[in-house]
């Protein structure tokens, strides 16, 4: 092997990001469901906290109730996450200097653009996901009772028109831009920062630490947009919100500014493992790909 030629690592397939996010989602979906249930609670019952919601889901639907909407969650990751990871990696490659370095402002630009692409691609599945996850908390006569993600897409188109598939697209895309900019860029940034210290080297500890910090940053930045997105998508035709910023003003005025961070705890509890697992799976997929490529082509990496 020592006489094999040295080459640069090839770019892994674009779909690795979507696959990694799907794998992580199976572990974190119950936390996402709890976040949605908390974010859609209004009025006096808003005092009901995480423990109350957990008991309510378990008593009403059992353990499987925590996986309501899993088909839509998988569809969302295969559209939203695959699109944003693919776009981000492509732009990073195009915007890098000749020596492979990438200034932070270009990295941030790539993240924001990738988030917009992912947000647009993932909005239809996101609407179905929010409604499926919240259905169990509604009175029986108000439930939509979508059978699965594709049934939800079909019924929304039939009952609300094609435009219904993009209800809440503005806050969703805005959130996706912030999420991708905060999550992917901060992961790369924290990874580089930690590698510059003597305590870290390439490996699981580095990936865990960088992704945990990225999850904290992403949750805090995107929480207000996430609350508004959830409210608008869940409202259906009779939405009291006209647009993103009007919704933020209404929620803050009627429920207090902290209402924009409602569900932050389950969001972070969900975002931290989601981010950690996504990047750990992604790094493992990349390493397997690079190892197989090196062995097959009898090359070494620089």
């Amino acid at each position: 092997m020592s006489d094999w030629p040295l080459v640069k690592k090839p770019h892994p397939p674009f779909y690795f990001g979507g696959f990694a996010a799907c794998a992580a989602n199976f572990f974190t979906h119950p936390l996402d469901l709890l976040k949605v249930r908390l974010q859609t609670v209004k009025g006096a019952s808003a005092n009901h906290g995480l423990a109350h919601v957990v008991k309510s889901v378990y008593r009403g639907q059992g353990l499987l109730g925590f996986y309501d909407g899993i088909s839509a969650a998988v569809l969302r990751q295969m559209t939203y996450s695959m699109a944003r990871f693919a776009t981000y990696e492509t732009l990073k490659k195009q915007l890098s200097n000749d020596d492979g370095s990438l200034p932070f402002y270009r990295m941030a630009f790539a993240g924001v653009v990738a988030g917009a692409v992912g947000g647009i691609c993932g909005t239809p599945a996101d609407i179905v996901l929010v409604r499926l996850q919240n259905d169990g908390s509604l009175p029986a006569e108000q439930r939509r009772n979508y059978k699965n993600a594709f049934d939800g897409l079909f019924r929304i188109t039939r009952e609300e028109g094609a435009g219904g598939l993009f209800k809440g697209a503005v806050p969703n895309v805005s959130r996706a831009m912030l999420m991708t900019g905060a999550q992917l860029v901060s992961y790369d940034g924290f990874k580089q920062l930690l590698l510059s210290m003597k305590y870290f080297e390439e490996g699981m500890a580095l990936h865990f630490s960088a992704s945990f910090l990225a999850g904290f940053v992403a949750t805090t930045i995107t929480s207000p947009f996430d609350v508004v997105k959830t409210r608008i998508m869940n409202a259906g035709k009779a939405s009291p919100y006209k647009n993103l910023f009007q919704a933020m003003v209404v929620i803050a005025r009627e429920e207090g500014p902290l209402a924009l961070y409602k569900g932050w705890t389950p969001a972070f509890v969900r975002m931290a493992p989601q981010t950690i697992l996504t990047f750990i799976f992604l790094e493992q997929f990349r390493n397997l790909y690079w190892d197989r490529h090196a062995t097959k082509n009898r090359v070494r990496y620089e």
Side-chain angles (χ1 to χ4, degrees), residues 28-39 50 175 179 183 212 214-227 229-230 260-276:
T28 62
H29 184 78
L31 298 170
D32 194 39
L33 180 139
L34 295 176
K35 179 202 71 174
V36 168
R37 295 283 177 92
L38 280 170
Q39 289 177 338
L50 180 59
R175 175 190 176 277
M179 171 63 74
Q183 189 183 51
F212 178 86
F216 181 86
V217 172
T219 303
T220 303
I221 290 177
T222 61
S223 185
F225 293 87
D226 200 26
V227 171
K229 178 210 74 170
T230 300
L260 292 172
Y261 285 89
K262 185 176 290 184
W264 187 94
T265 299
F268 176 68
V269 171
R270 181 255 181 194
M271 180 64 69
Q274 173 73 25
T275 304
I276 291 168

Side-chain angles (χ1 to χ4, degrees), residues 200-259:
F200 289 92
E201 59 183 17
E202 190 66 41
M204 193 69 74
L206 171 67
H207 303 156
F208 179 91
S209 301
S211 55
F212 178 86
L213 293 170
F216 181 86
V217 172
T219 303
T220 303
I221 290 177
T222 61
S223 185
F225 293 87
D226 200 26
V227 171
V228 172
K229 178 210 74 170
T230 300
R231 294 282 184 93
I232 292 176
M233 287 182 170
N234 189 59
K237 288 185 176 180
S239 175
Y241 309 118
K242 297 177 181 179
N243 54 57
L244 169 65
F245 296 105
Q246 183 263 356
M248 284 188 173
V249 171
V250 170
I251 293 171
R253 184 177 64 237
E254 296 181 354
E255 303 174 48
L258 290 180

